[in-house]
Amino acid sequence: MKIHIKYMVSLRCKIAVKEELDKLKLKYTSVELGEVNLKKDISGEDRELLRKGLVKKGLELIDDKKSLLIEKTKTTIIELIHYSEKNPTTNYSDYIAEKLDYNYNHLASLFSEVTGTTIANYIILNKIERVKELLLYDELSLTEISLLMEYSSVAHLSHQFKKITGFTPTYFKKIKKHKKRIMLEDL
């Protein structure tokens, strides 16, 4: 049985979900971002206990199809930008549509309707958060970061970074100890 979980966007979330499943002695085969494969169906009582436990940890079970599709879209973007070793060989819209097996226009329309922002903007916000993370690591130059994040130039990255954060990447790097990152769950 497969269950879907909203706001499950980090490794910390996966650990929290595993803790709740273990607490209820629910056997699972896999726990991935936004999705858990259980070995067998769960009772209504166990589902309610799981729901309550997840809510305490800032997570939610997803029951309706629209919410499920939005979460799958967000998870696909997060996995691609934050956890993937390679960038897609196609553009983001084609990659998302292919991965979710839906028409991109339908996904984009639904995403905007439900979240109040576009998929493109959500991608940009995630890319900027990833850039912040890379700047904090202080291991790559701005040129290397712009190439890694598929910006056409350092100037393009810098412009978009300043538009979103209000700071240039260089200035952000200088004040990095005082500037908190936005949690993925809050994007």
Side-chain angles (χ1 to χ4, degrees):
M1 173 185 197
K2 191 177 285 192
I3 59 172
H4 299 278
I5 301 171
K6 193 173 187 177
Y7 309 124
M8 191 175 166
V9 296
S10 67
L11 299 176
R12 181 179 54 83
C13 293
K14 285 173 68 171
I15 292 167
V17 169
K18 286 179 181 179
E19 286 173 357
E20 288 302 314
L21 293 169
D22 292 341
K23 189 187 312 180
L24 295 171
K25 295 183 172 74
L26 296 173
K27 303 291 182 204
Y28 52 89
T29 55
S30 66
V31 176
E32 299 302 326
L33 295 180
E35 188 174 282
V36 175
N37 285 305
L38 297 170
K39 288 189 176 181
K40 61 181 185 174
D41 288 351
I42 59 174
S43 68
E45 183 181 328
D46 281 343
R47 187 175 181 83
E48 189 55 31
L49 290 171
L50 179 60
R51 178 184 309 283
K52 288 178 181 177
L54 292 174
V55 166
K56 288 178 185 174
K57 295 183 182 222
L59 303 169
E60 293 178 23
L61 285 178
I62 300 174
D63 294 321
D64 70 278
K65 291 186 182 222
K66 277 186 178 180
S67 294
L68 178 59
L69 194 51
I70 297 303
E71 282 307 305
K72 283 184 174 183
T73 304
K74 287 180 174 183
T75 299
T76 299
I77 293 166
I78 289 166
E79 286 175 342
L80 181 62
I81 293 172
H82 296 275
Y83 301 112
S84 179
E85 294 294 319
K86 293 183 179 179
N87 292 318
T89 54
T90 61
N91 63 35
Y92 285 107
S93 57
D94 290 342
Y95 178 82
I96 293 166
E98 184 179 316
K99 175 108 168 140
L100 299 179
D101 197 25
Y102 271 88
N103 174 285
Y104 182 78
N105 291 331
H106 172 71
L107 289 171
S109 174
L110 183 64
F111 194 92
S112 295
E113 174 190 322
V114 172
T115 66
T117 190
T118 64
I119 290 176
N121 193 51
Y122 190 75
I123 289 168
I124 290 168
L125 291 173
N126 274 277
K127 285 176 77 170
I128 295 302
E129 285 307 309
R130 180 72 173 127
V131 169
K132 286 180 185 179
E133 184 179 315
L134 293 169
L135 287 169
L136 292 175
Y137 288 156
D138 206 21
E139 294 173 355
L140 300 174
S141 70
L142 206 48
T143 302
E144 291 168 321
I145 292 171
S146 80
L147 288 172
L148 179 67
M149 298 308 298
E150 295 189 314
Y151 282 94
S152 58
S153 66
V154 172
H156 181 218
L157 164 63
S158 296
H159 175 75
Q160 201 167 68
F161 191 92
K162 184 165 184 171
K163 184 177 175 186
I164 300 297
T165 67
F167 303 111
T168 65
T170 307
Y171 185 72
F172 177 83
K173 217 172 174 177
K174 287 178 185 174
I175 62 164
K176 65 186 175 186
K177 292 180 182 166
H178 306 292
K179 178 77 174 154
K180 292 185 178 179
R181 290 183 54 236
I182 298 171
M183 300 305 291
L184 289 178
E185 295 90 342
D186 298 329
L187 283 179

